[in-house]
Amino acid sequence: MQLPIPHPDALAASQALKQRIAQEIHSHAGWIPFSRFMELALYAPRLGYYSGGAAKLGKDGDFTTAPEITPLFGATLANLATELISAPEDGLSPNILEFGAGTGQLAFDILTELQTIGSSIDAYYIVELSAELRARQEQKLSAFPQVRWLDSLPAVFSGVVVANEVLDAMPVELVLKGEHGWLQRGVGLHESVGDEIVFSTIDRPADAALVAQIPDADVLAVDYLTEVHPVAIGFMHSLAAMLKGGAGGAAFLFDYGFPAAEYYLEQRDQGTLMCHYRHHAHPDPFYLPGLQDITAHVDFTAMTEAAMAGGLDVLGYTSQAGFLLEAGISQLLLRTPPENVMRYLPQANAMQKLLSPAEMGELFKVLVVGINAALPERFLRQDRSHRLGI
């Protein structure tokens, strides 16, 4: 792969993480599940991708998210949150909780828009697992005293929850259809000359509970490789318990993914796992651990089933484009007069990236779940909940 060469300090950090992972493999008889490798690569203290000090988002990072493209994304969510919180028939309290706030840009845009429209909230909670990202958020959001940081989801919450590109960053299990049944892919150490640590894949018989997450697993072809999402499913159960304990809540989950019927297509026989390094996408999860993101598309059917099992209602499921259009992003753009070309065109082009089917508009989906809450009726025009197969 022709990828950018990292700084020597970054290479040293990656090497230290490889040694940490190798120790984990040695202590578990030469094998760890892929989910554990992914967890360490992303979240090992001080060394993992999200736990280290390197920039992750924007032009200097490895990928770009919707809030980094335009403040219109956050402004749209702020207006919709205000609409929901003020609805007399809903039980939502004037609170917002964001899980995994990245650079803090989305929180900044939401809070700025709330000030602009004269809408107030009691608190803006951020659940952030990365100490490095939390430090950046604290600096970015220093002008907003209502922001409070949490180390984990609270036991009870009432209000609006936002999770933008959170589910795709949760560790997944890899499973492979073998000649005699399904196998769970794990990670071991490849024998090599010298001190270089080389990881290799090792497959073992899969637990039936993992295979049960794949619809029509028996009819898929031998050598079919895919992901299942026990960590993300566990997160949805926790989210459901948190919202069910409150007076009312609505959670908006933005991510790239598919319903189960599309996720496990025969043609998608190599799964969806992808790595991102300096705006280059490639499939090798063993490349420079700690310096690259590792993600997988989201099975939105599995997420919905977990939410419903926890007592939540499905309030909506649609494309990012359909959601943002119904939430009023076009009207917010028109605050800038089109005649003011120098200001209007950059904002219009940025909005187009969020909406275009060729960019984020169709690939990204929005799942909305909640209790004692409902989306405004206009969102029914874009709803695709029937595709979830629930």
Side-chain angles (χ1 to χ4, degrees), residues 109-369:
D109 293 335
I110 289 175
L111 291 164
T112 299
E113 177 66 12
L114 291 175
Q115 282 187 344
T116 299
I117 63 178
S119 177
S120 63
I121 58 173
D122 291 343
Y124 192 109
Y125 297 99
I126 293 177
V127 179
E128 182 54 67
L129 305 181
S130 166
E132 181 267 333
L133 287 176
R134 174 170 171 168
R136 296 179 66 183
Q137 294 160 14
E138 288 174 344
Q139 183 177 10
K140 178 82 172 179
L141 303 171
S142 60
F144 299 102
Q146 62 270 59
V147 180
R148 303 169 192 172
W149 280 267
L150 305 173
D151 296 325
S152 61
L153 288 176
V156 174
F157 177 80
S158 176
V160 172
V161 178
V162 178
N164 182 55
E165 293 197 56
V166 168
L167 295 172
D168 69 85
M170 293 185 177
V172 297
E173 296 289 2
L174 297 183
V175 290
L176 173 74
K177 182 76 171 288
E179 290 280 357
H180 305 291
W182 283 89
L183 304 170
Q184 179 182 6
R185 176 148 292 181
V187 179
L189 294 173
H190 190 278
E191 292 187 9
S192 58
V193 179
D195 297 330
E196 178 65 19
I197 296 172
V198 180
F199 299 114
S200 63
T201 58
I202 302 175
D203 300 330
R204 294 182 174 183
D207 187 276
L210 291 179
V211 182
Q213 298 181 37
I214 305 173
D216 302 321
D218 292 341
V219 304
L220 294 172
V222 171
D223 294 329
Y224 189 96
L225 176 68
T226 190
E227 310 89 26
V228 290
H229 305 78
V231 176
I233 289 171
F235 171 81
M236 294 301 294
H237 284 304
S238 298
L239 176 69
M242 179 188 76
L243 292 180
K244 193 173 181 183
F252 298 84
L253 300 118
F254 296 78
D255 233 311
Y256 42 88
F258 314 99
E262 299 172 28
Y263 198 103
Y264 300 105
L265 288 173
E266 292 182 9
Q267 306 94 302
R268 196 165 282 121
D269 59 358
Q270 293 304 301
T272 71
L273 194 80
M274 189 59 60
C275 305
H276 300 273
Y277 176 70
R278 302 284 183 85
H279 295 278
H280 292 73
H282 68 90
D284 183 7
F286 299 151
Y287 180 77
L288 296 177
L291 303 187
Q292 66 171 359
D293 193 19
I294 307 173
T295 73
H297 284 53
V298 175
D299 175 356
F300 279 106
T301 297
M303 301 306 110
T304 303
E305 289 176 340
M308 293 176 65
L312 298 187
D313 301 319
V314 180
L315 308 184
Y317 170 73
T318 189
S319 67
Q320 178 172 284
F323 178 87
L324 291 176
L325 287 169
E326 295 300 341
I329 193 170
S330 300
Q331 290 85 346
L332 293 180
L333 172 64
L334 291 177
R335 287 177 179 174
T336 303
E339 296 79 13
N340 189 342
V341 176
M342 296 297 290
R343 291 187 58 228
Y344 179 82
L345 280 183
Q347 294 184 52
N349 289 336
M351 186 183 77
Q352 184 66 9
K353 290 182 180 180
L354 302 185
L355 301 181
S356 170
E359 302 216 32
M360 299 176 72
E362 185 60 37
L363 176 61
F364 278 73
K365 310 300 193 304
V366 188
L367 174 64
V368 188
V369 295

Side-chain angles (χ1 to χ4, degrees), residues 34-49:
F34 181 82
S35 61
R36 179 57 177 162
F37 171 86
M38 185 172 171
E39 179 184 0
L40 290 170
L42 296 180
Y43 302 107
R46 297 181 302 280
L47 295 174
Y49 179 74

